[in-house]
Amino acid sequence: MGVSFDKLDGVIWFDGKLVPWQEANVHVLTHGLHYASCVFEGERAYDGTVFRSTEHSLRLKASANILDFEIPYSVAEIDAAKQLVVDRNDLPNAYLRPVAWRGSEMLGVAASNNFIHLAIAAWDWPSYFDPAVKLRGIRMDLADYRRPDPRTAPALAKASGLYMICTISKHRAERKGYTDAMMLDWEGRVAECTAANIFFAQDGKLHTPIADCFLPGITRATVIELAGRRGIEVVERRIMPEELAGFSECFITGTAAEVTPVAEIAQWRFKPGAICEVLMTDFAAEVQPKGRQAAA
Ligand code: PMP
């Protein structure tokens, strides 16, 4: 195990100020900790620039609104704070973790007047782009838990509470030797993975589940755009697990996963090939600040 996250060095943006890493603490009687009134983002900086920063800031604010709270900073302020964290810590290639939560003023189910905190941390996380290695594909299990009905939980928010079933599912998968687990939705249709969206390829077209009961990823949207530029049709539709036997390629998308080919999901097998490769390559170019300028 590496150094524990609370023991790293650097500065963390905390409620409007940069504070030394090890002093960015909260009290044990924090509403966010007890009642999961907490939302967050996962983002990456490539070559000193945060990829799709404003989209992530907008999603953070929207997630908070779904949980009935307002982050007391504008999207522009959050974007600036993220860039400051990257610059001051000298982390051109980093993972960023903005997190917002209700404080300690009231500790019961109702806490409408609690102070809303926002912190932004970042740590070194270069992107390892080796197509030969990635094209071997990861192995995934099928999770027991299903993504909840949007009438049961705030399914479209990036809210901490929704990750409870993801952590349990990922641990179970890892104990069986898998990298991750694919999750079905409340109606038994293919949904996503524990922290990434999923795509399948068949006859030159991509198929991906409609994102109405799980997080519509920013990487997912980027890949749909990139596929469009290549003339690859993307069909967003309901996908039943039995259909997996008919797909040739599969990959997952997410800020952390980027575009990661999949070789195996439970009893189903895939052969990462031309579609995985072209989208991995296009994504790697797109995230570079110069790639983004060239495309604009
Ligand atoms: N689904 C879940 C549950 C996630 O945690 C993530 C990672 N944020 C994604 C999908 C992919 O989202 P994005 O591409 O915006 O990182």
Side-chain angles (χ1 to χ4, degrees), residues 40-43 56 59 95 147 158 162-163 166 183 192-197 214-221 253-258:
F40 65 102
E41 274 302 315
E43 315 183 27
H56 282 282
R59 188 170 72 183
Y95 182 84
R147 305 302 307 186
K158 192 163 166 66
L162 294 170
Y163 284 85
C166 299
M183 304 177 86
E192 58 164 352
C193 307
T194 64
N197 296 125
F214 57 84
L215 193 75
I218 291 168
T219 318
R220 175 183 181 277
T253 63
T255 297
E258 300 178 308

Side-chain angles (χ1 to χ4, degrees), residues 56-75:
H56 282 282
S57 300
L58 283 165
R59 188 170 72 183
L60 183 69
K61 299 260 297 175
S63 295
N65 289 160
I66 294 171
L67 266 64
D68 199 32
F69 67 84
E70 190 70 49
I71 296 174
Y73 299 95
S74 67
V75 167

Side-chain angles (χ1 to χ4, degrees), residues 109-189:
V109 172
S112 48
N113 294 324
N114 280 25
F115 189 85
I116 305 303
H117 298 273
L118 174 65
I120 302 167
W123 51 90
D124 191 40
W125 196 356
S127 165
Y128 297 104
F129 180 67
D130 183 344
V133 173
K134 284 192 111 179
L135 279 167
R136 284 183 212 146
I138 58 164
R139 296 176 60 242
M140 298 206 291
D141 198 7
L142 185 60
D144 296 326
Y145 278 112
R146 292 181 172 195
R147 305 302 307 186
D149 180 339
R151 292 168 298 186
T152 303
L156 298 181
K158 192 163 166 66
S160 300
L162 294 170
Y163 284 85
M164 180 173 63
I165 55 172
C166 299
T167 299
I168 299 170
S169 302
K170 180 130 172 156
H171 285 180
R172 286 182 185 163
E174 285 181 348
R175 275 197 290 270
K176 291 200 237 163
Y178 293 103
T179 301
D180 197 2
M182 183 182 80
M183 304 177 86
L184 304 180
D185 71 11
W186 55 291
E187 289 196 309
R189 306 171 299 207

